Amino acid sequence: NAGVTQTPKFQVLKTGQSMTLQCAQDMNHEYMSWYRQDPGMGLRLIHYSVGAGITDQGEVPNGYNVSRSTTEDFPLRLLSAAPSQTSVYFCASSTPYRDQGEQYFGPGTRLTVT
Amino acid sequence: RKEVEQDPGPFNVPEGATVAFNCTYSNSASQSFFWYRQDCRKEPKLLMSVYSSGNEDGRFTAQLNRASQYISLLIRDSKLSDSATYLCVDNQGGKLIFGQGTELSVKP
C-alpha cells in the first residue's frame, strides 16, 4: 500500500491564483481530513469527510473548498490564494471507527503564496 | 484559550535523562487522547494512545488525569533518536485537536 499520498510536494502561488492540492489513500479509510500547520500553531483542522459525498468544516475552513466523490480522493481547493495561506498542508485518513484516532498522514504540501 | 495546550519547550536533555511533557485540555467531555511524534518537516505519526488507567510502551508512559484535565508523557532513558516534536492530541469523534507541540532535543 502507498498509504496517503499528496501532490504536489511544493508549490508557489501568486496572490489571487487558485489551485487544488491532491490527496489520495489506498487503505479504504472512510475518514479523511485536511490540516494546516503554521510555526508555533500546531496542526489546525480545515475540512474533513466521514465518507464519500459527506464533508464538513473544521476549525479554519475559510478560503478552502473540498469535495469527496470517491472513498480514495479528497482534494483541497484554494479559490483565491492569499499570503495568509502560506503553510504546510497535511492530508490524513483513518479507519471507519472514528474513535480509534490513529490517523495516517501524507507527507505534506509546502505552499508559499507571494 | 486553546483547546489543547502544551509545555512551551524546547526541552534540551542529555542522553539517558528522563523527561516529562504535560498537556492540558479544555473540553471536559473529551474521552480519547493521543501523543503524536513529528520529526522536522515530516508528517506526524502516532506515538501512543492515552488511557484512563495509564499505559506504557517501552520507555514511554502516558497518563491521563480527567479531574485536572491534563495528559502527560514520560520518556525514560532518552535516546538521540527521541529528538522530535511531541504533539498532544484530543480526539473529538475523529476530529483531532492538536496542541502546538513541544520540541525535544536529546544531546550526546
Side-chain angles (χ1 to χ4, degrees), chain B residues 39-80:
Chain B
D39 293 292
C40 185
R41 299 177 68 80
K42 297 286 185 69
E43 70 272 22
K45 293 185 179 177
L46 180 67
L47 177 66
M48 61 195 305
S49 303
V50 185
Y51 303 124
S52 295
S53 55
N55 52 303
E56 189 173 309
D57 183 2
R59 298 182 293 109
F60 298 84
T61 300
Q63 291 194 312
L64 167 63
N65 184 318
R66 290 193 188 278
S68 301
Q69 293 183 212
Y70 82 78
I71 301 144
S72 64
L73 176 68
L74 183 76
I75 305 175
R76 291 180 298 279
D77 189 22
S78 300
K79 311 290 185 192
L80 296 177

Side-chain angles (χ1 to χ4, degrees), chain B residues 7-102:
Chain B
D7 286 350
F11 285 60
N12 297 303
V13 303
E15 269 188 294
T18 295
V19 61
F21 304 140
N22 289 326
C23 165
T24 58
Y25 62 94
S26 62
N27 187 347
S28 59
S30 290
Q31 299 290 316
S32 176
F33 304 91
F34 302 90
W35 284 100
Y36 274 71
R37 171 190 168 131
Q38 186 175 28
D39 293 292
C40 185
R41 299 177 68 80
K42 297 286 185 69
E43 70 272 22
K45 293 185 179 177
L46 180 67
L47 177 66
M48 61 195 305
S49 303
V50 185
Y51 303 124
S52 295
S53 55
N55 52 303
E56 189 173 309
D57 183 2
R59 298 182 293 109
F60 298 84
T61 300
Q63 291 194 312
L64 167 63
N65 184 318
R66 290 193 188 278
S68 301
Q69 293 183 212
Y70 82 78
I71 301 144
S72 64
L73 176 68
L74 183 76
I75 305 175
R76 291 180 298 279
D77 189 22
S78 300
K79 311 290 185 192
L80 296 177
S81 58
D82 293 334
S83 297
T85 296
Y86 291 83
L87 303 165
C88 177
V89 182
D90 178 357
N91 177 23
Q92 297 182 1
K95 292 169 60 176
L96 300 189
I97 307 299
F98 285 81
Q100 71 269 43
T102 301

Side-chain angles (χ1 to χ4, degrees), chain A residues 3-98:
Chain A
V4 180
T5 57
Q6 291 184 238
T7 56
K9 285 190 167 53
F10 301 94
Q11 182 71 49
V12 179
L13 290 178
K14 294 189 188 310
T15 297
Q17 287 185 314
S18 62
M19 78 160 295
T20 298
L21 308 185
Q22 302 291 345
C23 174
Q25 53 90 10
D26 60 0
M27 298 174 280
N28 199 34
H29 286 169
E30 289 185 3
Y31 191 90
M32 296 186 73
S33 52
W34 276 101
Y35 296 86
R36 61 177 287 174
Q37 185 173 33
D38 302 298
M41 297 290 291
L43 281 81
R44 291 182 292 168
L45 183 64
I46 304 172
H47 286 284
Y48 65 100
S49 169
V50 300
I54 306 168
T55 64
D56 206 346
Q57 295 181 352
E59 184 184 355
V60 287
N62 292 342
Y64 308 94
N65 273 0
V66 292
S67 59
R68 184 95 180 270
S69 55
T70 66
T71 299
E72 294 77 21
D73 300 298
F74 190 42
L76 178 73
R77 281 182 287 278
L78 280 71
L79 306 173
S80 177
S84 61
Q85 293 179 305
T86 293
S87 189
V88 180
Y89 291 84
F90 289 103
C91 178
S93 72
S94 65
T95 63
Y97 305 101
R98 288 183 296 169

